[in-house]
Amino acid sequence: RGRRLLQTSPVVKNKGTPSMEQISPHHRLGRTVADLQSDAGDRSRLLNRLALGIGLVAVFGGVTILVLGWLEVLSGRNLIPAALVWILLGCGIAAGTFWLTRRRRHQLAITMFLYGNVLYVTLAIYLIGGVGGPMFVAYLVPVMAAGLFGKAGDGIRLFLVSLACYSALVLLQILSL
């Protein structure tokens, strides 16, 4: 039995730190992670797909809020303008990210995508019910994306910006604004 385990374990090619491909039981995952960290084309494709996802979420979420307002499930005097701003902001983030990656301004596209998403999540929290709701978890999406796309300090900076935005929302809710 022990001999069988030794035969199926991955072979380490060198005595240093093994690569992701050598460790991963799914070699496809290892190649994907290694390629993502080195290939700007793959990173820009992934960034464009994430931006497309944000744009679609913005449209569907905004339309849902508008329909719920029309059916009088949600009420508020600023509901329609806020939902339209939500749709425009999400689509603006997506369009800006697409445009910047096409112009090969990858770092600027990443920065706009990440910080724009923090602003988008802040607006979503404000619209959906304030700081008492479960939406604050959505701040994790841009922070995790910063770890994937950015440098080491980008995730920390984005976390601090997210914390400042959430604190501002708490203050606005305390002041009933």
Side-chain angles (χ1 to χ4, degrees):
R1 181 178 176 191
R3 193 174 270 179
R4 198 172 355 148
L5 288 175
L6 288 175
Q7 291 172 350
T8 60
S9 65
V11 177
V12 178
K13 294 179 183 173
N14 58 15
K15 292 191 177 210
T17 305
S19 70
M20 182 65 116
E21 291 178 2
Q22 293 172 341
I23 295 173
S24 175
H26 306 287
H27 293 293
R28 186 174 179 195
L29 173 67
R31 284 193 311 271
T32 303
V33 171
D35 290 345
L36 180 64
Q37 292 173 346
S38 63
D39 187 16
D42 286 340
R43 287 175 54 175
S44 66
R45 277 191 295 278
L46 180 60
L47 183 63
N48 282 337
R49 288 179 182 154
L50 287 172
L52 177 64
I54 290 296
L56 291 174
V57 165
V59 169
F60 289 135
V63 168
T64 302
I65 288 176
L66 290 173
V67 167
L68 290 174
W70 180 67
L71 294 174
E72 297 179 3
V73 174
L74 292 176
S75 62
R77 59 187 172 130
N78 295 333
L79 187 64
I80 293 175
L84 292 176
V85 167
W86 185 353
I87 292 171
L88 291 175
L89 180 62
C91 291
I93 292 168
T97 302
F98 283 128
W99 183 73
L100 287 170
T101 54
R102 280 201 160 271
R103 298 188 53 89
R104 302 201 187 281
R105 305 278 315 262
H106 299 294
Q107 191 58 42
L108 187 58
I110 290 168
T111 301
M112 188 190 97
F113 177 76
L114 295 175
Y115 288 98
N117 276 323
V118 169
L119 182 62
Y120 178 76
V121 168
T122 302
L123 181 62
I125 290 172
Y126 180 75
L127 287 176
I128 290 180
V131 294
M135 189 69 186
F136 72 91
V137 177
Y139 278 120
L140 290 176
V141 172
V143 172
M144 288 189 301
L148 185 63
F149 290 115
K151 298 178 184 104
D154 290 343
I156 295 170
R157 278 192 298 275
L158 205 63
F159 169 75
L160 293 174
V161 169
S162 299
L163 183 63
C165 289
Y166 191 75
S167 299
L169 282 175
V170 169
L171 185 62
L172 287 173
Q173 191 166 339
I174 288 172
L175 297 174
S176 299
L177 297 176

